[in-house]
Amino acid sequence: MINNSQQSKDTTPLLHREGQGGGSALKQIAILGSTGSIGTQALQVIAAHADRFEARILTANNRWQLLAEQARQFLPAAVVIANEAHYEALRDALSDLPIAVYAGADALCQVVESDEVDMVLTAMVGFAGLPPTIAAIRAGKPIALANKETMVVAGELINRLCREHQVPILPVDSEHSAIFQSLIGEVSPIEKIILTASGGPFRTFTKEQLQTVTPQMALRHPNWDMGAKITIDSATMMNKGFEVIEAKWLFGVEPDKIQVVVHPQSVVHSAVQFADGAVKAQLGVPDMRVPIQLAFSFPERLQSDFDRLDWFTMHDLTFERPDTDRFRCLALAYESLHQGGNMPCIVNAANEVVNRAFLVGNCAFLEMADIIEKTMQRATFIQQPTYEDYLATDKEARRIAAEQTHPSPSL
Ligand code: NAD
Ligand code: MG
């Protein structure tokens, strides 16, 4: 859990433990999901600051060729390919280099524990990020958190482990990084978090139009170039719902104090309002390398050549209320937070299934929310889940959701 205000009494010092700067040793970073959108941008940051950071571990799920190319360029101590079917191909591709090659989900958990790793960037997608994140926390590694599903599924458990092991979490999600930056130096409670949302590609669509939208349309996000899963989550606004849950756990703020505001230009990355009515926000050109770099270098800010805001050519900045009638996934995420327990884990699992089903034509756009809602009603509710309960819930909810998907003739 991160927090530099008094929202939570025992986590204040955690923020300041890492990255004091000025040291000579390179910070050794393990990137879980180095071949993805966040992972590749993280490697750009590392390449641009080779005097500060080194890629110690690189991992991927299937794209072993790209992983091999990255390994050749960055010379990590080890690489992991989660899908074991690609192990031999990857091993052979790197046989001339002194790089250890591992395969399988368990290996992800083991490599992050290495003494040499100083920070773990969780840039893999979905529930699969939970076990290695927990392994990293137990090993005392500071987390640069991109994998929001970890906090959605098990935020309470993650916070407990972070406190136990004195591990800080540095947010990479742009909104949470903005909130984090707005909180620097504050000691008073948060009155309200203003969580901005682009609204995605279907912001102006009617419900009728939403009935026939295709995956290709959903994959065209107006402001951000991201992996397929989060891009579709942005189109349904489940992504924003997940970010509400993520914000609750990261900043210790109840959901009724987290206001989602649709801001199509994605310039204001989020804001915090305080007891005196003052609002602090962080602004910038949409570029994920900014929050990634800050998570690596905090509390320092490093030089970058990323685009700067041009105040005089910027279009109007506009703000709208979200419409939970057209974007029901946002309402379902809030609902899961109110119910608590394993309900967000149920929503996450059902969402992973329908997200994929929509992508491959087995579920229409508006059906995604229906299936998630039915899964919430049918899956076993557990008020105080353990880690094992989360694993079982994930399996059960996936099964229930999958039973409801089917090839969709209209897609
Ligand atoms: P992506 O699909 O582009 O990349 C995912 C990476 O994770 C790949 O390297 C892939 O090989 C690996 N991976 C996927 N499934 C895996 C599994 N089961 N086991 C091991 N490795 C696996 O995704 P992305 O857009 O980079 O997003 C990564 C995470 O960051 C997600 O949780 C997303 O919500 C979050 N995030 C992304 C952005 C963004 O701009 N892309 C912004 C904020 C948050
Ligand atoms: Mg975000």
Side-chain angles (χ1 to χ4, degrees):
M1 174 154 178
I2 42 162
N3 209 318
N4 58 355
S5 73
Q6 290 173 345
Q7 300 296 312
S8 160
K9 45 194 177 320
D10 26 21
T11 54
T12 311
L14 297 184
L15 258 185
H16 302 287
R17 223 190 69 177
E18 261 310 295
Q20 296 304 309
S24 55
L26 300 180
K27 188 182 252 185
Q28 302 291 326
I29 299 177
I31 304 182
L32 300 180
S34 63
T35 56
S37 160
I38 293 288
T40 50
Q41 293 179 85
L43 284 173
Q44 289 174 27
V45 169
I46 290 176
H49 296 282
D51 57 328
R52 298 291 302 263
F53 310 124
E54 210 162 45
R56 183 85 196 175
I57 311 271
L58 300 177
T59 83
N61 196 26
N62 284 312
R63 298 173 67 188
W64 65 268
Q65 293 99 329
L66 178 56
L67 182 60
E69 276 172 38
Q70 293 177 337
R72 215 159 260 289
Q73 183 185 349
F74 288 90
L75 298 175
V79 294
V80 180
I81 188 82
N83 183 344
E84 294 174 26
H86 304 303
Y87 170 71
E88 278 170 18
L90 179 64
R91 188 200 54 197
D92 294 350
L94 295 176
S95 58
D96 58 324
L97 295 171
I99 298 174
V101 180
Y102 304 105
D106 291 345
L108 293 176
C109 295
Q110 285 154 15
V111 288
V112 296
E113 293 170 355
S114 153
D115 282 350
E116 279 71 43
V117 169
D118 295 320
M119 173 170 257
V120 176
L121 170 64
T122 64
M124 48 198 283
V125 188
F127 184 91
L130 181 65
T133 305
I134 288 182
I137 295 170
R138 285 190 193 283
K141 310 298 182 188
I143 305 292
L145 183 100
N147 179 261
K148 68 190 83 187
E149 293 91 341
T150 293
M151 292 312 270
V152 170
V153 166
E156 197 166 10
L157 172 67
I158 294 293
N159 280 351
R160 196 165 67 237
L161 290 171
C162 282
R163 277 197 293 274
E164 249 173 66
H165 297 275
Q166 290 287 296
V167 163
I169 295 186
L170 286 305
V172 168
D173 214 347
S174 59
E175 296 78 2
H176 303 76
S177 179
I179 295 162
F180 173 78
Q181 293 176 59
S182 302
L183 287 172
I184 291 171
E186 298 293 340
V187 295
S188 302
I190 295 168
E191 185 173 82
K192 187 167 148 184
I193 284 177
I194 295 94
L195 189 69
T196 52
S198 72
F202 306 139
R203 181 177 60 89
T204 59
F205 280 43
T206 62
K207 228 174 172 179
E208 202 182 4
Q209 287 174 307
L210 286 177
Q211 276 169 3
T212 53
V213 293
T214 62
Q216 289 67 36
M217 292 160 79
L219 287 172
R220 259 178 256 129
H221 194 279
N223 302 349
W224 301 96
D225 182 11
M226 310 180 286
K229 197 257 180 184
I230 185 175
T231 306
I232 287 173
D233 283 349
S234 299
T236 62
M237 290 196 75
M238 182 56 96
N239 181 53
K240 210 45 57 177
F242 282 175
E243 291 185 358
V244 170
I245 302 175
E246 186 184 7
K248 174 197 155 92
W249 294 117
L250 288 179
F251 305 107
V253 172
E254 287 309 313
D256 60 347
K257 292 185 172 177
I258 305 173
Q259 169 78 65
V260 173
V261 175
V262 175
H263 166 47
Q265 299 79 17
S266 297
V267 167
V268 177
H269 294 313
S270 278
V272 181
Q273 179 175 306
F274 297 95
D276 56 358
V279 178
K280 281 168 73 178
Q282 184 256 326
L283 284 67
V285 174
D287 187 334
M288 287 309 295
R289 291 172 302 178
V290 177
I292 293 169
Q293 179 168 299
L294 184 67
F296 287 173
S297 70
F298 186 80
E300 271 186 89
R301 288 185 187 272
L302 303 182
Q303 187 62 38
S304 86
D305 59 3
F306 312 147
D307 288 347
R308 271 37 176 178
L309 271 188
D310 181 344
W311 292 86
F312 302 112
T313 58
M314 222 180 338
H315 297 297
D316 291 342
L317 299 185
T318 58
F319 302 93
E320 305 162 12
R321 275 180 203 286
D323 180 350
T324 50
D325 184 41
R326 283 180 304 137
F327 297 100
R328 283 182 49 229
C329 285
L330 180 57
L332 293 174
Y334 269 103
E335 173 60 24
S336 76
L337 257 190
H338 286 301
Q339 294 191 35
N342 65 341
M343 196 51 83
C345 176
I346 294 170
V347 169
N348 178 70
N351 183 61
E352 287 193 31
V353 170
V354 294
N355 180 303
R356 178 78 200 154
F358 173 66
L359 191 65
V360 301
N362 282 346
C363 171
F365 187 79
L366 289 175
E367 268 181 322
M368 288 195 264
D370 297 337
I371 293 176
I372 294 167
E373 190 170 24
K374 289 209 181 78
T375 309
M376 290 168 77
Q377 290 157 0
R378 292 179 194 167
T380 312
F381 180 68
I382 303 170
Q383 187 68 61
Q384 289 190 317
T386 61
Y387 177 62
E388 286 68 32
D389 291 332
Y390 287 127
L391 298 179
T393 296
D394 181 67
K395 275 209 181 76
E396 185 196 22
R398 276 173 199 272
R399 182 179 49 73
I400 295 171
E403 282 165 9
Q404 301 171 71
T405 63
H406 53 82
S408 175
S410 68
L411 298 175

